[in-house]
Amino acid sequence: MKFSVIIPVYNRIDEVVELLRSLQLQTARNFEVILVEDGSTEPCRAQAEAAAAAGLDVKYFYKENEGRSIARNYGMERATGDYFVFFDSDCVIPATYFATLEQALADNPLDCFGGPDAAHESFSDTQKAINYSMTSFLTTGGIRGGKVQLEKFTPRTFNMGFSRKVYHAVGGFREMFSEDIDMSKRILRHGFSIGLLRQVPVWHKRRVDFRKFFRQVYVFGMSRITLKLLYPDSLKAVHTLPAVFVLGSLLLILLSIFVSPWWLLPLGVYFLAIFTGALLSTGNLKIALMAVPAALIQLGGYGLGFIKAFTHKIILRRGRNLAEEVEIRKGK
């Protein structure tokens, strides 16, 4: 089986260098790399050409900036593999990834797969703290960690793949937030099989500081409402928990001010549990301490984005209305 690795890039030279280097170190070379530069002002053509000169089968394309979904579709149109694999540019790939993936798909044929993400030992403490927050059962219900989960597994494009047959039947990604979740929903609705392959993780750098992390999760929270309008049955209880956290925390703070400081105890216990879990998971006191504000930012940012979009689109019915969302759903 030949894989086509499709990577959209926008002004990420340093990340691309590390990603390409990890692909050069693969123990199996049953893949090509399609690198799509989406209108970057700092293109990585030279880095791609250097990797090609070193023996990596990489094809570089530059196009005007239109968004990561259109860049992925552009790459699929030019891919020659039987199976398309998607990484984000801020990922590093373990050396045995493609050898393991080919064997896993031979043992368990899947039309579409997703794999977990983790933090490499070389990542910064901030990145490791954010990674813990994004994968911990205490903060996400295990949705992203590839472990115990409170919702059905959904592949995401930091580590995702599907067959050419799926592409021809379902089409490409839509240019929207949470486009990978939308794609997974469409794949399922076409009757294709989807599964989690825990044995093919990637190392995911995520955001390098808390400010960028807040902006990212805030958008995640808003996009969950768009997905709910597209797929009414997609909103699960676990998706509402950050909003419940925000509202509940506000209530506890008000009660602590006007009634008794003891009302802050539940928050203290919760963040102590996060600290303890991070310490046991990472074995690093600094990362465990940083995991507490990371969790606060993740839950608060996602919850605020969710509440804003819910109020704007569901309650007030402003912005793009349900009819327009349905038009997107039909691909119009």
Side-chain angles (χ1 to χ4, degrees):
M1 178 183 292
K2 180 179 180 181
F3 300 99
S4 289
V5 181
I6 298 166
I7 307 166
V9 181
Y10 182 74
N11 290 334
R12 298 289 184 93
I13 291 179
D14 292 341
E15 291 179 355
V16 168
V17 168
E18 195 166 3
L19 172 56
L20 292 177
R21 185 180 299 121
S22 71
L23 291 172
Q24 288 176 262
L25 296 175
Q26 293 296 304
T27 58
R29 288 299 184 95
N30 50 351
F31 63 93
E32 64 175 353
V33 179
I34 309 294
L35 194 63
V36 183
E37 190 96 60
D38 189 36
S40 299
T41 57
E42 299 177 356
C44 57
R45 179 186 295 273
Q47 290 72 22
E49 291 176 347
L56 185 66
D57 183 5
V58 54
K59 300 176 179 65
Y60 174 88
F61 299 95
Y62 186 96
K63 59 179 289 299
E64 66 180 52
N65 179 251
E66 295 179 283
R68 59 182 179 264
S69 291
I70 296 175
R72 291 189 185 104
N73 296 341
Y74 185 96
M76 285 190 287
E77 291 170 0
R78 289 154 180 80
T80 62
D82 311 300
Y83 214 96
F84 302 148
V85 176
F86 303 90
F87 299 134
D88 287 344
S89 61
D90 59 352
C91 290
V92 178
I93 316 304
T96 59
Y97 182 95
F98 284 99
T100 304
L101 176 60
E102 185 167 39
Q103 185 60 55
L105 290 175
D107 295 339
N108 179 27
L110 290 169
D111 299 306
C112 174
F113 81 92
D117 56 347
H120 190 266
E121 60 183 12
S122 66
F123 291 0
S124 71
D125 290 341
T126 300
Q127 290 171 322
K128 290 176 181 177
I130 290 174
N131 178 79
Y132 176 79
S133 180
M134 290 290 281
T135 58
S136 171
F137 183 83
L138 290 172
T139 52
T140 65
I143 289 175
R144 300 177 65 97
K147 299 176 183 177
V148 179
Q149 299 174 357
L150 292 183
E151 74 157 351
K152 190 171 183 178
F153 172 74
T154 302
R156 289 170 168 82
T157 46
F158 59 77
N159 185 7
M160 175 184 184
F162 50 76
S163 68
R164 180 177 290 275
K165 181 180 178 181
V166 167
Y167 170 58
H168 287 311
V170 179
F173 292 90
R174 292 174 175 141
E175 186 55 34
M176 57 180 288
F177 292 122
S178 296
E179 72 283 357
D180 44 7
I181 300 177
D182 170 70
M183 173 62 85
S184 296
K185 296 292 185 184
R186 289 157 55 203
I187 290 172
L188 276 175
R189 291 193 171 198
H190 276 75
F192 291 108
S193 59
I194 291 182
L196 167 65
L197 298 181
R198 290 187 175 87
Q199 62 270 52
V200 288
V202 300
W203 294 309
H204 197 182
K205 292 182 179 179
R206 305 188 185 280
R207 294 297 181 263
V208 296
D209 61 55
F210 286 152
R211 179 180 59 84
K212 292 179 180 178
F213 182 46
F214 175 85
R215 289 170 56 191
Q216 181 187 44
V217 294
Y218 182 82
V219 170
F220 285 170
M222 294 186 67
S223 67
R224 179 53 64 179
I225 298 302
T226 297
L227 289 167
K228 183 255 187 300
L229 292 174
L230 285 168
Y231 308 100
D233 60 346
S234 67
L235 186 64
K236 308 299 182 184
V238 66
H239 303 135
T240 68
L241 292 181
V244 172
F245 170 82
V246 170
L247 297 175
S249 296
L250 179 59
L251 176 61
L252 290 174
I253 290 171
L254 290 174
L255 288 171
S256 72
I257 294 173
F258 295 106
V259 181
S260 168
W262 285 103
W263 282 102
L264 291 178
L265 183 60
L267 286 177
V269 171
Y270 177 65
F271 286 117
L272 178 61
I274 290 174
F275 167 78
T276 303
L279 184 61
L280 292 173
S281 175
T282 66
N284 186 297
L285 179 60
K286 181 181 178 182
I287 295 172
L289 289 170
M290 294 178 72
V292 174
L296 178 60
I297 290 169
Q298 179 188 325
L299 294 169
Y302 191 108
L304 288 172
F306 184 99
I307 291 169
K308 178 181 178 180
F310 185 86
T311 302
H312 195 70
K313 292 188 174 184
I314 304 297
I315 298 177
L316 300 179
R317 301 184 67 82
R318 293 177 181 173
R320 190 159 58 200
N321 59 36
L322 182 57
E324 290 171 314
E325 299 289 355
V326 171
E327 291 302 301
I328 293 178
R329 183 176 179 178
K330 293 178 180 176
K332 297 182 179 179

